[in-house]
Amino acid sequence: MAQPQPKSSPLNELCSALPSLPARLQQVGRFVAANDYDATTRSMRDLAADAGADPAAFTRLAKALGYSGWDELRAALTEARRPAQAQPFSARTRSGRKGPHAEISLVADKLEAEAAGLARISPGSVAEAAKALNAARRIWIAGFRSCRSVAELLNYQLRLFRPDEAHLVGGSGPEDLDLSAFHRGDAVVVIGFAPYSRASVLSARAAHDSGAAMIAIADTVTAPMAEGADHLLLFEAASSPGFFPSLTGAIAIAQSLAAVTFSLGGAAAKRRLEETEGRLAAMSQYVAEKG
């Protein structure tokens, strides 16, 4: 029996249909094909403005391709961009090590890989990104799912000396409310590794559209949430053994950003940190050390 043919991707369908479309729809179709990332993250009205077209043309294009409307075509484009790997964590597992010290060997291999990954982080790139944080009027930090801990760590350290300017995206409500608050003069840090969360991609797009300085902490230059970043800080997530990718590099970058931003803040940052320490002491937040 003949095997079923795999379904063509929406981009392939679009490119194949272009010659048979009316001239106006060809123009819109070529725009979508060249900007498929934007098509999955921006509104139809924004896309139409950039394409110099009527928003209704995007609906007509979708229907010409056999979709019920633009929303269905956009959903297909979004699904096509999703990583093909359906098991991003369990697929990393390898056959169990053998021998009496197999567990110790795994730990040793993991620590060795983590150390090698840290050595490949670019100090210069982190320092340049910290300058953007220091100059920013407000700092927004976006990290979701497993990257939430990295975002919370960076937010906590920055708030020790910039309590009014550092904000965790989605920290006090739905993240879409924060995305609309990005402005030119702000800095937005977006953290992610494969498989990438949709929220991280939307945060990066909102930062880019707002004119804010965008800093991406990512595992690869092709990460969708790193597209258009002013500063790209790379860490190794996949090279470490174990079922889950490594966040060690991302944490090291976050802590380095906080340290350099504090150093650049000079006397004002030191004074704010001392004020925070005084408040924490007055509230008896820490256990007294035995002398």
Side-chain angles (χ1 to χ4, degrees), residues 178-180 182-183 188 201-212:
D178 290 332
L179 303 189
S180 64
F182 297 169
H183 294 293
V188 181
V201 176
L202 293 176
S203 297
R205 173 52 57 187
H208 181 74
D209 290 345
S210 72

Side-chain angles (χ1 to χ4, degrees), residues 152-216:
E152 290 177 343
L153 174 64
L154 179 56
N155 181 63
Y156 175 77
Q157 293 192 12
L158 290 174
R159 289 197 66 191
L160 290 174
F161 59 94
R162 292 189 65 172
D164 300 323
E165 294 88 20
H167 305 276
L168 186 66
V169 173
S172 59
E175 62 263 14
D176 56 284
L177 297 180
D178 290 332
L179 303 189
S180 64
F182 297 169
H183 294 293
R184 186 176 299 277
D186 293 352
V188 181
V189 181
V190 184
I191 307 157
F193 66 88
Y196 307 98
S197 71
R198 179 170 174 78
S200 69
V201 176
L202 293 176
S203 297
R205 173 52 57 187
H208 181 74
D209 290 345
S210 72
M214 210 268 274
I215 299 167

Side-chain angles (χ1 to χ4, degrees), residues 23-254:
R24 192 58 174 157
L25 290 188
Q26 285 187 29
Q27 177 187 345
V28 175
R30 291 192 182 95
F31 176 86
V32 171
N35 299 275
D36 64 304
Y37 170 76
D38 286 359
T40 64
T41 58
R42 303 181 67 190
S43 71
M44 184 169 63
R45 187 174 300 277
D46 287 346
L47 293 172
D50 285 352
D54 186 331
F58 286 81
T59 299
R60 291 197 297 272
L61 172 67
K63 290 184 176 180
L65 297 176
Y67 295 90
S68 62
W70 173 249
D71 286 343
E72 186 178 359
L73 174 55
R74 181 167 62 179
L77 290 169
T78 300
E79 186 62 30
R81 289 186 63 91
R82 198 181 304 279
Q85 179 62 52
Q87 297 174 308
F89 307 132
S90 62
R92 287 172 51 84
T93 59
R94 301 290 184 267
S95 57
R97 287 171 166 79
K98 306 298 183 182
H101 303 297
E103 295 81 5
I104 296 175
S105 296
L106 174 58
V107 173
D109 290 347
K110 186 164 180 61
L111 291 176
E112 182 179 356
E114 302 285 9
L118 289 177
R120 286 188 279 270
I121 293 172
S122 170
S125 298
V126 177
E128 287 300 313
K131 291 178 182 178
L133 293 184
N134 179 62
R137 183 171 58 91
R138 294 182 302 176
I139 300 170
W140 299 89
I141 304 141
F144 305 95
R145 301 186 67 83
S146 55
C147 291
R148 191 64 168 183
S149 60
V150 184
E152 290 177 343
L153 174 64
L154 179 56
N155 181 63
Y156 175 77
Q157 293 192 12
L158 290 174
R159 289 197 66 191
L160 290 174
F161 59 94
R162 292 189 65 172
D164 300 323
E165 294 88 20
H167 305 276
L168 186 66
V169 173
S172 59
E175 62 263 14
D176 56 284
L177 297 180
D178 290 332
L179 303 189
S180 64
F182 297 169
H183 294 293
R184 186 176 299 277
D186 293 352
V188 181
V189 181
V190 184
I191 307 157
F193 66 88
Y196 307 98
S197 71
R198 179 170 174 78
S200 69
V201 176
L202 293 176
S203 297
R205 173 52 57 187
H208 181 74
D209 290 345
S210 72
M214 210 268 274
I215 299 167
I217 302 177
D219 60 338
T220 174
V221 295
T222 60
M225 35 68 62
E227 188 170 329
D230 298 288
H231 301 273
L232 176 56
L233 310 179
L234 294 173
F235 70 97
E236 295 188 8
S239 61
S240 176
F243 79 96
F244 201 85
S246 172
L247 281 169
T248 300
I251 292 171
I253 289 172

